[in-house]
Amino acid sequence: MSVTSIDCHKFAERVASWLIPQGPEADVVVSCRVRLARNLAGYPFVSKLSPERALELAERVRPELCALNGSDVLWVPMADASPVLRLLLRERHLVSRDLAPSSGERAALPGRAVAFNREETLSVMVNEEDHLRIQAMEGGFALDRAWEHAQEADRALEGRMSFAYDPQFGY
């Protein structure tokens, strides 16, 4: 299920699961994150993507991203997100400053969005520097678990979409 409206007060009151002191070495390491960048075949890179194609790409990936964890995924288009919500998403490391700036023209660039699970351990930014920026976060020093979570999402998405890939240069 995708949700575009989020109650900022309730969202701010919750604590992301990766911020709860748990996992290996949690007394020293607060959290860890793994990021994967992917681009879709048949689309120019984000820096060359027209507003119409950016919106098309976002609508193309939305159902695939919302299906990642069954119906427990939230979808937030940045053009619809209030400045407060963009700030909350940045503070929780679900999006970057580039995807969700505080204000200005970049805040409303078409086709920019984020999909994330309710536990906030997986988020996928759409049309940031790459078409998809998959990131998995875990509490403590659980890099292996974060890598597995990111890789699982990557494989699921690659099974449903064609990623741009070159045998010599990779993704």
Side-chain angles (χ1 to χ4, degrees):
M1 171 169 113
S2 61
V3 177
T4 55
S5 63
I6 294 176
D7 181 331
C8 289
H9 294 288
K10 288 182 181 177
F11 189 57
E13 289 173 356
R14 287 190 352 200
V15 175
S17 66
W18 59 271
L19 281 172
I20 298 169
Q22 60 187 6
E25 311 298 332
D27 59 327
V28 178
V29 179
V30 175
S31 66
C32 59
R33 173 173 50 185
V34 171
R35 283 181 154 186
L36 300 173
R38 298 291 183 255
N39 289 288
L40 272 63
Y43 288 89
F45 289 124
V46 172
S47 61
K48 300 292 184 187
L49 203 55
S50 71
E52 297 79 23
R53 294 281 281 170
L55 286 168
E56 176 188 315
L57 187 143
E59 285 307 309
R60 162 74 179 90
V61 301
R62 179 181 177 171
E64 307 304 338
L65 294 175
C66 290
L68 274 179
N69 283 15
S71 63
D72 206 19
V73 173
L74 302 171
W75 172 265
V76 181
M78 291 300 107
D80 296 345
S82 68
V84 171
L85 180 55
R86 288 194 303 268
L87 177 63
L88 287 169
L89 292 168
R90 282 196 321 267
E91 286 179 347
R92 293 170 107 88
H93 299 284
L94 295 169
V95 301
S96 66
R97 287 187 185 280
D98 186 48
L99 187 77
S102 320
S103 61
E105 63 184 49
R106 293 190 58 81
L109 285 176
R112 289 179 164 227
V114 65
F116 61 96
N117 65 358
R118 291 192 188 277
E119 296 81 29
E120 300 175 32
T121 56
L122 179 71
S123 77
V124 181
M125 293 180 275
V126 178
N127 290 326
E128 187 223 20
E129 288 181 8
D130 296 281
H131 296 150
L132 302 176
R133 180 68 57 96
I134 303 164
Q135 61 179 13
M137 297 162 283
E138 293 290 338
F141 192 57
L143 276 173
D144 287 340
R145 192 170 26 183
W147 166 249
E148 288 169 15
H149 203 183
Q151 189 177 39
E152 178 182 301
D154 182 47
R155 287 181 176 159
L157 291 171
E158 191 168 27
R160 295 187 286 238
M161 295 183 273
S162 294
F163 288 158
Y165 178 80
D166 180 275
Q168 182 179 355
F169 300 111
Y171 288 98

